[in-house]
């Protein structure tokens, strides 16, 4: 079934949003590295790599449905932050923005009865709940830590435990 034009355009735009998410998070990685917060840099690198996977899922979907992806310019939204808390607050606001986009996509997939798109988007709906919860938890902890250097050091160590696990290759 050919992709509905409106849904195609929204999915094509979503590839840009996901790639921009990776861009924003890599921008945060560079901020954390400069601040000597290697654990947060590691955490945010894993986050950025997940965003590349998200973009890839939408990219493949358009191809599988016989469409052609039209890539767009990416914006660098911000390159510096005044504190780790501000960076993670921005990450949370960005994830909320992405959740809104996924919900809009789901509304249109339902409207045009595109069941394969709905199956794809079901995964993203659950993923967004997880993403917001994970980032939200860090925001909450950072707010609690406040100016405590020791608290920040401990949290940085904890966040450095995050490992990016790539999905298994096809056929595995
Ligand atoms: Fe791909 Fe973090 O949303």
């Amino acid at each position: 079934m050919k992709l509905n034009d409106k849904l195609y355009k929204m999915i094509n735009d979503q590839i840009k949003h996901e790639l921009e998410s990776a861009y924003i998070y890599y921008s945060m990685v560079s901020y954390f590295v400069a601040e000597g917060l290697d654990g947060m840099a590691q955490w945010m690198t894993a986050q950025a790599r997940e965003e590349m996977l998200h973009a890839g899922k939408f990219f493949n979907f358009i191809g599988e449905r016989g469409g052609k992806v039209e890539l767009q310019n990416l914006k660098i939204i911000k390159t510096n932050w005044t504190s780790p808390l501000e960076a993670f607050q921005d990450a949370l606001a960005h994830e909320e923005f992405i959740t809104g986009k996924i919900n809009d996509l789901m509304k249109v997939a339902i409207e045009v009865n595109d069941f394969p798109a709905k199956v794809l988007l079901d995964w993203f709906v659950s993923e967004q709940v997880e993403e917001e919860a994970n980032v939200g938890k860090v925001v909450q902890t950072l707010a609690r830590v406040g100016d405590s250097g020791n608290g920040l050091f401990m949290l940085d160590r904890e966040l450095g435990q995050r490992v990016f696990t790539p999905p298994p290759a096809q056929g595995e």
Side-chain angles (χ1 to χ4, degrees):
M1 184 175 108
K2 190 180 172 291
L3 263 178
N4 164 278
D5 287 347
K6 183 177 172 187
L7 189 57
Y8 160 78
K9 193 184 171 313
M10 288 173 78
I11 296 176
N12 195 67
D13 285 349
Q14 191 62 27
I15 295 171
K16 178 175 82 102
H17 296 314
E18 299 291 348
L19 290 174
E20 266 175 0
S21 305
Y23 233 38
I24 294 164
Y25 296 148
Y26 272 124
S27 187
M28 289 178 182
V29 169
S30 93
Y31 161 72
F32 290 132
V33 169
E35 292 293 313
L37 294 163
D38 293 348
M40 292 188 191
Q42 156 101 4
W43 194 97
M44 211 43 98
T45 300
Q47 186 76 11
R49 293 184 72 186
E50 279 196 5
E51 299 305 346
M52 303 293 287
L53 285 179
H54 295 172
K57 277 181 185 278
F58 286 117
F59 192 102
N60 292 342
F61 186 76
I62 287 187
E64 280 164 4
R65 297 291 298 276
K68 181 179 177 300
V69 171
E70 297 290 342
L71 290 177
Q72 304 171 55
N73 290 337
L74 304 183
K75 270 192 303 205
I76 295 190
I77 291 162
K78 207 164 162 176
T79 55
N80 213 8
W81 287 268
T82 55
S83 65
L85 176 61
E86 194 203 9
F88 274 93
Q89 278 170 332
D90 278 2
L92 182 58
H94 185 74
E95 287 303 332
E96 286 166 354
F97 164 76
I98 294 290
T99 300
K101 292 288 174 193
I102 297 292
N103 291 347
D104 290 345
L105 272 163
M106 182 61 108
K107 276 182 224 153
V108 175
I110 290 169
E111 211 176 274
V112 302
N113 286 327
D114 192 316
F115 300 116
K118 202 186 151 299
V119 170
L120 174 74
L121 290 163
D122 271 337
W123 184 88
F124 276 97
V125 167
S126 311
E127 177 72 3
Q128 281 311 117
V129 173
E130 210 180 289
E131 297 252 291
E132 282 192 31
N134 291 343
V135 183
K137 206 172 140 219
V138 181
V139 169
Q140 208 177 26
T141 312
L142 278 168
R144 200 171 300 139
V145 161
D147 292 331
S148 152
N150 202 34
L152 199 61
F153 173 78
M154 300 285 283
L155 179 62
D156 189 57
R157 275 235 308 233
E158 189 192 317
L159 294 182
Q161 309 290 315
R162 181 175 176 181
V163 205
F164 171 74
T165 318
Q170 273 183 347
E172 273 182 35

